[in-house]
Amino acid sequence: MRKTEGFEKEIEYVKNFIAYVKKGYGKKVCTYRNQKDFHPNCANCQAQWALGWLNEHLSLIEWEFKELKKDK
């Protein structure tokens, strides 16, 4: 099993990265040639996909950290 060391840093890093992406690109409007839908070349659409992945990753590492703390 993974040690709990470093979890706080990883969680904080992911939270900071999520905030950075939301601030810079986190609009929910596609900006690629006035598209009304998601487009793979749109930075905002890419940010939305990345935010979805990052939020799932954050949820997973927070859960794993809580479970490891229970085992101690």
Side-chain angles (χ1 to χ4, degrees):
M1 280 191 103
R2 190 173 175 187
K3 293 181 180 180
T4 58
E5 298 168 6
F7 266 94
E8 292 93 350
K9 284 184 179 182
E10 185 176 356
I11 289 170
E12 188 63 30
Y13 176 76
V14 173
K15 284 182 178 179
N16 288 340
F17 193 63
I18 288 171
Y20 170 77
V21 172
K22 281 183 179 178
K23 182 178 178 184
Y25 298 100
K27 300 167 190 71
K28 294 190 182 233
V29 178
C30 182
T31 59
Y32 185 79
R33 298 183 184 169
N34 298 320
Q35 295 286 321
K36 300 289 183 187
D37 201 1
F38 288 108
H39 193 280
N41 290 336
C42 172
N44 287 323
C45 293
Q46 292 170 359
Q48 291 305 311
W49 291 316
L51 285 171
W53 182 84
L54 287 167
N55 284 321
E56 289 296 320
H57 178 66
L58 179 61
S59 176
L60 180 63
I61 59 177
E62 287 176 334
W63 173 83
E64 187 177 357
F65 181 57
K66 287 177 189 174
E67 290 298 311
L68 287 174
K69 284 178 75 176
K70 282 183 194 177
D71 291 342
K72 281 190 168 187

